[in-house]
Amino acid sequence: MSDNVGLSTPRGSGTSGYVQRNLAHLRPRDRAAPYNTKDLDSFKHRQRQPDKEILEHDRKREVEVKVFELRDQLEDEGVDEEEIDKRCDVLRKELQAKMNKGGRDAGPKKPLKAHQVHELADAKIKESERLRNALKISKDYEEGSHWKRQEERLRKAVERENDTQKDRG
């Protein structure tokens, strides 16, 4: 054995005595802070904006899936091709009109899956907007502004008190 590593002899140990490096060992990093503490704006929560084109594509895809299901059903029933095309066109126009109207029926009825990130972001924005309206929070509200105003009032009160003590003294 070299460099005092491993067993002095592999006899009786049930191993070959071959020594490997521990690849799972994590070495400590050189830097203390992995982020810039001077840039406080980066810590603020920024809502992810959904991609409108992807949302529109998914809505159109839902329409086409329903049209294809109708086409498949009619083909199984043995309806002739012209009748299938007419019914599919009617259903497509009906679903597109409903989608363009944008009512509550146009949205997804099923709970969203984790891979539907744009739909989730859109739903979260709508939910935040409803909550903001319900709590009557203004659009230009800045998080923590209440504490800033309270600190400002306290500072002014202390300054007034110091001024009155100077006037007396």
Side-chain angles (χ1 to χ4, degrees):
M1 280 286 112
S2 62
D3 297 332
N4 203 18
V5 175
L7 304 169
S8 57
T9 176
R11 288 184 66 189
S13 67
T15 66
S16 67
Y18 183 76
V19 179
Q20 292 185 359
R21 194 174 93 198
N22 183 2
L23 297 175
H25 176 69
L26 296 174
R27 295 187 186 123
R29 298 198 178 239
D30 295 338
R31 290 180 263 130
Y35 47 84
N36 187 1
T37 56
K38 294 176 185 176
D39 187 18
L40 296 177
D41 289 337
S42 65
F43 292 119
K44 288 185 179 178
H45 172 72
R46 277 183 248 119
Q47 187 122 31
R48 181 177 183 155
Q49 296 298 317
D51 189 350
K52 301 294 183 192
E53 291 177 3
I54 292 177
L55 292 174
E56 185 66 24
H57 172 77
D58 286 343
R59 287 188 197 107
K60 288 179 181 177
R61 186 176 183 278
E62 283 180 28
V63 168
E64 291 302 318
V65 165
K66 290 178 183 175
V67 168
F68 184 76
E69 287 173 355
L70 175 67
R71 176 177 293 278
D72 194 38
Q73 178 187 358
L74 293 175
E75 285 175 354
D76 288 344
E77 292 175 2
V79 180
D80 64 312
E81 196 65 32
E82 290 180 23
E83 183 66 25
I84 290 175
D85 288 339
K86 287 180 186 176
R87 288 188 188 179
C88 287
D89 288 340
V90 168
L91 179 66
R92 183 178 291 116
K93 288 176 184 173
E94 181 181 309
L95 291 173
Q96 285 175 344
K98 191 183 288 187
M99 182 181 78
N100 290 338
K101 188 169 62 172
R104 291 189 180 260
D105 299 332
K109 296 170 187 138
K110 297 177 262 180
L112 298 171
K113 307 261 192 292
H115 67 275
Q116 296 173 310
V117 291
H118 296 278
E119 290 88 346
L120 286 169
D122 191 41
K124 186 65 177 176
I125 288 172
K126 288 177 183 174
E127 178 187 5
S128 296
E129 188 69 22
R130 280 195 314 267
L131 182 66
R132 192 180 57 73
N133 288 338
L135 297 176
K136 297 179 182 166
I137 299 172
S138 65
K139 286 187 177 184
D140 59 341
Y141 175 76
E142 185 178 329
E143 190 173 327
S145 61
H146 169 74
W147 300 111
K148 290 177 186 175
R149 287 193 304 258
Q150 193 171 1
E151 285 178 9
E152 188 67 32
R153 283 189 218 126
L154 183 62
R155 193 176 322 118
K156 286 181 182 178
V158 168
E159 287 174 5
R160 274 191 243 125
E161 188 175 314
N162 288 339
D163 290 342
T164 56
Q165 286 180 357
K166 286 180 184 177
D167 290 343
R168 290 181 191 167

PDB file of all heavy atoms in Angstrom, residues 136-148:
ATOM      1  N   LYS A 136     -59.202  44.858  -2.179  1.00  0.00           N
ATOM      2  CA  LYS A 136     -59.093  46.267  -2.554  1.00  0.00           C
ATOM      3  C   LYS A 136     -57.665  46.776  -2.432  1.00  0.00           C
ATOM      4  O   LYS A 136     -57.405  47.836  -1.861  1.00  0.00           O
ATOM      5  CB  LYS A 136     -60.050  47.111  -1.726  1.00  0.00           C
ATOM      6  CG  LYS A 136     -61.500  46.744  -1.973  1.00  0.00           C
ATOM      7  CD  LYS A 136     -62.437  47.544  -1.150  1.00  0.00           C
ATOM      8  CE  LYS A 136     -63.845  47.057  -1.440  1.00  0.00           C
ATOM      9  NZ  LYS A 136     -64.802  47.541  -0.471  1.00  0.00           N
ATOM     10  N   ILE A 137     -56.742  46.012  -2.999  1.00  0.00           N
ATOM     11  CA  ILE A 137     -55.336  46.396  -3.031  1.00  0.00           C
ATOM     12  C   ILE A 137     -55.081  47.080  -4.363  1.00  0.00           C
ATOM     13  O   ILE A 137     -55.447  46.557  -5.411  1.00  0.00           O
ATOM     14  CB  ILE A 137     -54.427  45.156  -2.882  1.00  0.00           C
ATOM     15  CG1 ILE A 137     -54.691  44.475  -1.547  1.00  0.00           C
ATOM     16  CG2 ILE A 137     -52.964  45.543  -3.009  1.00  0.00           C
ATOM     17  CD1 ILE A 137     -53.976  43.144  -1.394  1.00  0.00           C
ATOM     18  N   SER A 138     -54.433  48.238  -4.333  1.00  0.00           N
ATOM     19  CA  SER A 138     -54.197  48.980  -5.575  1.00  0.00           C
ATOM     20  C   SER A 138     -53.153  48.262  -6.433  1.00  0.00           C
ATOM     21  O   SER A 138     -52.335  47.498  -5.931  1.00  0.00           O
ATOM     22  CB  SER A 138     -53.726  50.399  -5.258  1.00  0.00           C
ATOM     23  OG  SER A 138     -52.474  50.351  -4.619  1.00  0.00           O
ATOM     24  N   LYS A 139     -53.183  48.558  -7.731  1.00  0.00           N
ATOM     25  CA  LYS A 139     -52.263  47.909  -8.661  1.00  0.00           C
ATOM     26  C   LYS A 139     -50.821  48.337  -8.437  1.00  0.00           C
ATOM     27  O   LYS A 139     -49.895  47.599  -8.705  1.00  0.00           O
ATOM     28  CB  LYS A 139     -52.655  48.204 -10.104  1.00  0.00           C
ATOM     29  CG  LYS A 139     -53.862  47.454 -10.560  1.00  0.00           C
ATOM     30  CD  LYS A 139     -54.093  47.645 -12.027  1.00  0.00           C
ATOM     31  CE  LYS A 139     -55.287  46.813 -12.467  1.00  0.00           C
ATOM     32  NZ  LYS A 139     -55.501  46.873 -13.894  1.00  0.00           N
ATOM     33  N   ASP A 140     -50.620  49.559  -7.945  1.00  0.00           N
ATOM     34  CA  ASP A 140     -49.261  50.064  -7.748  1.00  0.00           C
ATOM     35  C   ASP A 140     -48.749  49.806  -6.332  1.00  0.00           C
ATOM     36  O   ASP A 140     -47.765  50.404  -5.910  1.00  0.00           O
ATOM     37  CB  ASP A 140     -49.192  51.552  -8.082  1.00  0.00           C
ATOM     38  CG  ASP A 140     -50.138  52.374  -7.219  1.00  0.00           C
ATOM     39  OD1 ASP A 140     -51.067  51.794  -6.642  1.00  0.00           O
ATOM     40  OD2 ASP A 140     -49.939  53.602  -7.130  1.00  0.00           O
ATOM     41  N   TYR A 141     -49.389  48.895  -5.603  1.00  0.00           N
ATOM     42  CA  TYR A 141     -48.963  48.562  -4.247  1.00  0.00           C
ATOM     43  C   TYR A 141     -47.583  47.923  -4.275  1.00  0.00           C
ATOM     44  O   TYR A 141     -47.302  47.047  -5.087  1.00  0.00           O
ATOM     45  CB  TYR A 141     -49.958  47.593  -3.596  1.00  0.00           C
ATOM     46  CG  TYR A 141     -49.522  47.104  -2.233  1.00  0.00           C
ATOM     47  CD1 TYR A 141     -49.631  47.932  -1.125  1.00  0.00           C
ATOM     48  CD2 TYR A 141     -48.986  45.840  -2.060  1.00  0.00           C
ATOM     49  CE1 TYR A 141     -49.232  47.499   0.113  1.00  0.00           C
ATOM     50  CE2 TYR A 141     -48.581  45.399  -0.822  1.00  0.00           C
ATOM     51  CZ  TYR A 141     -48.704  46.230   0.272  1.00  0.00           C
ATOM     52  OH  TYR A 141     -48.296  45.797   1.492  1.00  0.00           O
ATOM     53  N   GLU A 142     -46.733  48.372  -3.377  1.00  0.00           N
ATOM     54  CA  GLU A 142     -45.387  47.812  -3.259  1.00  0.00           C
ATOM     55  C   GLU A 142     -45.312  47.051  -1.940  1.00  0.00           C
ATOM     56  O   GLU A 142     -45.696  47.576  -0.885  1.00  0.00           O
ATOM     57  CB  GLU A 142     -44.351  48.928  -3.285  1.00  0.00           C
ATOM     58  CG  GLU A 142     -42.931  48.420  -3.278  1.00  0.00           C
ATOM     59  CD  GLU A 142     -41.933  49.551  -3.346  1.00  0.00           C
ATOM     60  OE1 GLU A 142     -42.240  50.589  -3.953  1.00  0.00           O
ATOM     61  OE2 GLU A 142     -40.854  49.381  -2.774  1.00  0.00           O
ATOM     62  N   GLU A 143     -44.815  45.846  -2.001  1.00  0.00           N
ATOM     63  CA  GLU A 143     -44.748  45.009  -0.814  1.00  0.00           C
ATOM     64  C   GLU A 143     -43.840  45.658   0.237  1.00  0.00           C
ATOM     65  O   GLU A 143     -42.734  46.087  -0.048  1.00  0.00           O
ATOM     66  CB  GLU A 143     -44.180  43.636  -1.184  1.00  0.00           C
ATOM     67  CG  GLU A 143     -44.293  42.624  -0.082  1.00  0.00           C
ATOM     68  CD  GLU A 143     -43.877  41.236  -0.543  1.00  0.00           C
ATOM     69  OE1 GLU A 143     -44.095  40.907  -1.709  1.00  0.00           O
ATOM     70  OE2 GLU A 143     -43.332  40.503   0.290  1.00  0.00           O
ATOM     71  N   GLY A 144     -44.343  45.744   1.471  1.00  0.00           N
ATOM     72  CA  GLY A 144     -43.565  46.322   2.563  1.00  0.00           C
ATOM     73  C   GLY A 144     -43.702  47.827   2.680  1.00  0.00           C
ATOM     74  O   GLY A 144     -43.063  48.441   3.533  1.00  0.00           O
ATOM     75  N   SER A 145     -44.525  48.453   1.835  1.00  0.00           N
ATOM     76  CA  SER A 145     -44.645  49.909   1.871  1.00  0.00           C
ATOM     77  C   SER A 145     -45.299  50.385   3.162  1.00  0.00           C
ATOM     78  O   SER A 145     -45.028  51.499   3.619  1.00  0.00           O
ATOM     79  CB  SER A 145     -45.439  50.410   0.665  1.00  0.00           C
ATOM     80  OG  SER A 145     -46.745  49.868   0.682  1.00  0.00           O
ATOM     81  N   HIS A 146     -46.128  49.548   3.785  1.00  0.00           N
ATOM     82  CA  HIS A 146     -46.753  49.920   5.054  1.00  0.00           C
ATOM     83  C   HIS A 146     -45.686  50.169   6.113  1.00  0.00           C
ATOM     84  O   HIS A 146     -45.756  51.136   6.869  1.00  0.00           O
ATOM     85  CB  HIS A 146     -47.700  48.812   5.523  1.00  0.00           C
ATOM     86  CG  HIS A 146     -48.187  48.997   6.929  1.00  0.00           C
ATOM     87  ND1 HIS A 146     -49.121  49.938   7.243  1.00  0.00           N
ATOM     88  CD2 HIS A 146     -47.836  48.393   8.085  1.00  0.00           C
ATOM     89  CE1 HIS A 146     -49.343  49.902   8.557  1.00  0.00           C
ATOM     90  NE2 HIS A 146     -48.570  48.968   9.087  1.00  0.00           N
ATOM     91  N   TRP A 147     -44.693  49.307   6.145  1.00  0.00           N
ATOM     92  CA  TRP A 147     -43.646  49.444   7.158  1.00  0.00           C
ATOM     93  C   TRP A 147     -42.795  50.681   6.891  1.00  0.00           C
ATOM     94  O   TRP A 147     -42.346  51.351   7.828  1.00  0.00           O
ATOM     95  CB  TRP A 147     -42.770  48.199   7.195  1.00  0.00           C
ATOM     96  CG  TRP A 147     -43.563  46.975   7.511  1.00  0.00           C
ATOM     97  CD1 TRP A 147     -43.831  45.945   6.672  1.00  0.00           C
ATOM     98  CD2 TRP A 147     -44.226  46.670   8.738  1.00  0.00           C
ATOM     99  NE1 TRP A 147     -44.611  45.014   7.291  1.00  0.00           N
ATOM    100  CE2 TRP A 147     -44.873  45.430   8.573  1.00  0.00           C
ATOM    101  CE3 TRP A 147     -44.345  47.318   9.949  1.00  0.00           C
ATOM    102  CZ2 TRP A 147     -45.615  44.837   9.568  1.00  0.00           C
ATOM    103  CZ3 TRP A 147     -45.087  46.721  10.964  1.00  0.00           C
ATOM    104  CH2 TRP A 147     -45.710  45.502  10.756  1.00  0.00           C
ATOM    105  N   LYS A 148     -42.596  51.018   5.626  1.00  0.00           N
ATOM    106  CA  LYS A 148     -41.835  52.217   5.299  1.00  0.00           C
ATOM    107  C   LYS A 148     -42.571  53.463   5.773  1.00  0.00           C
ATOM    108  O   LYS A 148     -41.964  54.381   6.332  1.00  0.00           O
ATOM    109  CB  LYS A 148     -41.594  52.296   3.790  1.00  0.00           C
ATOM    110  CG  LYS A 148     -40.630  51.247   3.278  1.00  0.00           C
ATOM    111  CD  LYS A 148     -40.489  51.336   1.779  1.00  0.00           C
ATOM    112  CE  LYS A 148     -39.642  50.189   1.257  1.00  0.00           C
ATOM    113  NZ  LYS A 148     -39.595  50.180  -0.210  1.00  0.00           N
TER     114      LYS A 148
END
